[in-house]
Amino acid sequence: MADAPSTAVLFDIDGTLADSNYAHVDAWWRAFRAAGESVDAWRIHRAIGMDSGRLLDELLPEASDDVRDQAEQFHTAFYSEHVPQLRLLPGARELLEEVARRGHAVVLATSAPEHELAALRELLDAAAWVTAETSSEDVDEAKPAPGIVQVALDRVGVDAEHAVMVGDAMWDVEASGKVALPCVGVMTGGIGGDELRRAGAAAVYDDAAAVLRALRDGEGPIAALA
């Protein structure tokens, strides 16, 4: 299509646009206990944003497949209890709207499973500005593997040179880096700026509202898209 955007901004959702990371920490912590395992909450937090298979490899390296399957099922059940209390992070919708207004394709580049994505989609209420989205069904292995990022770019026909990723975890930065896509880090997922920068973030902001202010001031990687 002649009028299709030639630039794109990819957005992680959990911890970036929605304040959901600690809901995932609680759900996994309870899930591990229900499956007969014990994992410290801080270790779980460090793994949030990883592909669930990688997360389980990291946190339950000695567990059987049955135990891992049980933990994943319990996580789904416990996380669903948090869904009614989820809220958007400051500036989330406004940032999506501004990016779309500037003519960039807005892509929700998440590896959340469809049942979680449906709740996040409703929370965002941003269909008018979103060009495309991804989910866990699109790849065999999610972040920090680059598959989700590449699928997101392919879905809007934009190359990495003309796109930017926005995410809250090292895994977003690492996945983006593997396809040479600049990644803007936000600290709303609970990961500090120094660590995001060491992972390779092109810029780091407190939250989506701060990214929006920089964009409106003509600063940062999104403002530089052309």
Side-chain angles (χ1 to χ4, degrees), residues 40 66 104 127 139 185-186:
D40 295 336
D66 285 345
H104 309 304
V139 291
V186 290

Side-chain angles (χ1 to χ4, degrees), residues 29-39 59-60 62-64 67 71:
W29 186 84
R30 294 166 63 194
F32 292 141
R33 288 176 63 87
E37 300 287 341
S38 178
V39 181
L59 300 177
L60 296 181
E62 306 299 326
S64 67
V67 168

